[in-house]
Amino acid sequence: MSATEKLIEAARGAMGHAHAPYSRFAVGAAVRLTDGQIVTGCNFENASYGLSLCAETVALATVNAQGRFADVEAIAVVGGAMGADGSVTGEVIVTPCGRCRQIMNEAEQMAGRTLAIYCAAPEGDAVVEHSIAELLPHAFGPADLGIIPRKS
């Protein structure tokens, strides 16, 4: 199994842990670090909807909590509507929301490298690779504030 396939499978696994009782839309994310370690996250909703967290944000915040924010090299995102039994099936590919795109831009600028963003469906082999520049053209980030990436 390739490194990208492992990353996508990790995102699919994380999706199964989503706490999404309100939207019934589960999302899993997986972040690969430069040493090959994979850190996952899933969406975590709250009855006060604005307090909900996206999977990508959870995963990247976890990476940061480990002191590894500058080590991010790739991110996979998988999501879809939950069935009555809580499972997510189908071959529709989702992409990160605007907030997550902004957070991914932060990770890319702080890492000082172009990140690969893999978007895949809950089932099947279809995968679309994006760049941050493609997902969020004309992004505002640390460089606009004169902040240079920290090197690990």
Side-chain angles (χ1 to χ4, degrees):
M1 182 180 291
S2 73
T4 299
E5 290 169 330
K6 288 178 185 175
L7 188 66
I8 291 166
E9 283 307 308
R12 286 179 173 147
M15 181 180 61
H17 300 294
H19 177 70
Y22 309 107
S23 71
R24 305 292 298 157
F25 195 88
V27 180
V31 176
R32 185 176 61 234
L33 304 177
T34 53
D35 65 359
Q37 179 185 352
I38 294 176
V39 177
T40 62
C42 58
N43 55 323
F44 186 74
E45 294 181 352
N46 187 281
S48 175
Y49 297 153
L51 297 180
S52 297
L53 298 171
C54 296
E56 302 92 324
T57 299
V58 170
L60 286 167
T62 301
V63 166
N64 186 62
Q66 295 176 2
R68 306 281 314 270
F69 202 51
D71 296 337
V72 174
E73 74 173 16
I75 302 170
V77 180
V78 178
M82 297 168 69
D85 65 354
S87 67
V88 180
T89 59
E91 296 184 15
V92 176
I93 294 174
V94 299
T95 58
C97 73
R99 176 179 183 244
C100 289
R101 292 173 190 210
Q102 182 65 40
I103 291 170
M104 290 175 178
N105 176 64
E106 184 91 4
E108 180 173 278
Q109 287 192 25
M110 295 310 287
R113 72 179 60 80
T114 301
L115 304 182
I117 311 300
Y118 300 103
C119 300
E123 299 177 309
D125 296 328
V127 176
V128 178
E129 181 178 348
H130 296 285
S131 67
I132 298 298
E134 179 185 359
L135 290 172
L136 189 64
H138 313 292
F140 179 85
D144 296 294
L145 298 173
I147 297 172
I148 55 174
R150 61 186 162 113
K151 298 297 178 190
S152 49

